[in-house]
């Protein structure tokens, strides 16, 4: 029997109550199904990973494209999916609310809103506006009575503002505004992670880990509740593709193709 949407959302909330779980980021339906079969308890979309599959740069996809992608991911697996909903695809809080309402309808169990503007001259929204955007997302989720879990993201470290005090101040404000999970991509040291976890406690913290970093056990010891990998899985897949394609284009040889994953095994997995 397929798992109901209500069950997925309930399961996702329970995952945030204790322990620490990895929430890997698929980039399409195939990668989502593969991850689900490996026993992961939940998945999270990747804005970058998805954008690259349709030939676009990160943060250049439309709300229509993202909602279609999320709908496909959620329908493909029987585990919860958290949406990387970027900045809500709007600047004004009321428009963020409209888009969040659309996002909720895709079947996601969770959804994140970040505070980056996409404008290099002013990379973060003013604190007051950033808080209002979280409040708007909270209101949209509550209006639907969906039970979708809202994550508030502070992007300061990703836009070159390595100010931990600013990050903590914003995350605490987002928690007060209705975010149920807090996320500061770019923090890496044990001291930074511990400070964030303590500041927003008892609310859970999501940690981004790329090619290097803590293990799940080490992150758990610091109080982290969930670990995502962003576009890392997508970049890993692209690395293999680009190596093989460049060899063919530049050398006229095909040795990299021998490193491909077994087609027999892929067909078994997707049977």
């Amino acid at each position: 029997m397929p798992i109901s949407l209500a069950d997925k959302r309930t399961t996702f909330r329970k995952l945030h109550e204790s322990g620490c779980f990895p929430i890997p980021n698929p980039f399409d339906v195939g990668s989502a199904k593969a991850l689900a079969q490996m026993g992961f308890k939940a998945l999270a979309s990747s804005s970058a990973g998805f954008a690259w599959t349709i030939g676009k740069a990160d943060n250049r996809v439309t709300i229509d494209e993202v909602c279609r992608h999320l709908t496909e991911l959620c329908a493909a697996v029987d585990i919860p999916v958290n949406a990387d909903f970027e900045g809500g695809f709007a600047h004004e809080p009321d428009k963020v609310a409209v888009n969040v309402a659309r996002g909720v309808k895709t079947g996601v169990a969770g959804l994140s809103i970040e505070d980056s503007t996409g404008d290099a001259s002013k990379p973060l929204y003013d604190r007051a506006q950033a808080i209002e955007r979280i409040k708007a997302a909270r209101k949209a989720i509550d209006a639907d009575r969906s039970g979708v879990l809202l994550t508030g993201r502070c992007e300061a470290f990703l836009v070159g503002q390595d100010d931990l005090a600013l990050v903590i101040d914003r995350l605490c404000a987002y928690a007060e505004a209705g975010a149920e999970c807090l996320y500061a991509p770019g923090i890496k040291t044990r001291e930074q992670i511990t400070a964030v976890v303590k500041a927003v406690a008892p609310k859970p913290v999501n940690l981004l880990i790329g090619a290097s970093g803590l293990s799940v056990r080490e992150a758990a010891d610091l109080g982290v509740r969930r670990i995502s990998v962003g576009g890392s899985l997508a970049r890993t897949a692209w690395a293999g593709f680009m190596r093989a394609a460049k060899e063919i284009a530049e050398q006229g040889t095909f040795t990299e193709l021998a490193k491909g994953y077994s087609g027999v095994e892929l067909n078994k997995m997707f049977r």
Side-chain angles (χ1 to χ4, degrees):
M1 291 288 291
I3 305 298
S4 72
L5 178 54
D7 286 342
K8 288 182 182 180
R9 288 170 172 169
T10 297
T11 296
F12 195 54
R13 286 187 166 277
K14 288 182 179 179
L15 286 172
H16 289 76
E17 292 176 0
S18 61
C20 180
F21 67 99
I23 182 168
N25 305 75
F27 42 88
D28 60 10
V29 166
S31 56
K33 287 186 174 182
L35 291 168
Q37 289 190 35
M38 292 177 191
F40 289 103
K41 298 176 181 179
L43 304 176
S45 70
S46 163
S47 61
F50 166 59
W52 299 329
T53 68
I54 60 173
K56 291 190 174 185
D58 191 15
N59 302 125
R60 293 293 183 268
V61 297
T62 66
I63 179 68
D64 290 338
E65 290 168 335
V66 167
C67 284
R68 186 160 53 246
H69 172 60
L70 291 173
T71 299
E72 292 173 351
L73 286 186
C74 293
V77 296
D78 283 334
I79 57 177
V81 174
N82 185 80
D84 177 348
F85 214 61
E86 301 186 32
F89 304 94
H91 297 295
E92 300 83 359
D94 60 333
K95 293 181 180 179
V96 169
V98 170
N99 290 338
V100 167
R102 285 189 63 183
V104 167
K105 296 295 184 182
T106 65
V108 296
L111 180 149
S112 64
I113 294 292
E114 60 193 50
D115 56 8
S116 58
T117 64
D119 181 354
S121 65
K122 185 183 178 182
L124 297 179
Y125 287 106
D126 289 336
R127 183 180 185 277
Q129 184 178 5
I131 293 170
E132 288 304 312
R133 286 160 45 81
I134 294 293
K135 287 182 178 179
R138 174 80 271 155
K139 185 175 180 180
I141 290 172
D142 291 345
D144 190 72
R145 297 183 180 180
S146 61
V148 166
L149 188 140
L150 176 62
T151 295
R153 294 176 48 151
C154 178
E155 306 291 289
F157 273 57
L158 293 190
V159 300
Q161 296 186 21
D162 297 349
D163 184 340
L164 189 61
L166 179 150
V167 168
I168 288 175
D169 173 68
R170 287 195 173 219
L171 291 182
C172 290
Y174 299 162
E176 188 174 346
E180 300 160 277
C181 181
L182 290 312
Y183 184 13
I187 62 171
K188 295 179 180 179
T189 70
R190 292 173 182 269
E191 293 74 20
Q192 291 168 343
I193 296 165
T194 299
V196 168
V197 168
K198 288 183 177 179
V200 303
K203 293 197 174 183
V205 168
N206 183 101
L207 178 65
L208 175 67
I209 294 182
S212 61
L214 305 171
S215 67
V216 173
R217 178 174 294 180
E218 289 170 330
D221 288 342
L222 297 179
V224 171
R225 186 71 75 236
R226 75 185 196 201
I227 302 169
S228 56
V229 298
S232 294
L233 286 174
R235 289 188 291 103
T236 300
W238 275 103
F241 173 88
M242 294 301 288
R243 279 196 302 269
K246 283 185 176 181
E247 181 195 358
I248 297 169
E250 297 171 3
Q251 302 176 40
T253 56
F254 304 85
T255 59
E256 282 291 330
L257 297 182
K259 300 176 183 178
Y261 197 73
S262 166
V264 172
E265 292 302 316
L266 287 169
N267 285 331
K268 284 181 180 179
M269 183 166 59
F270 295 133
R271 183 174 299 164

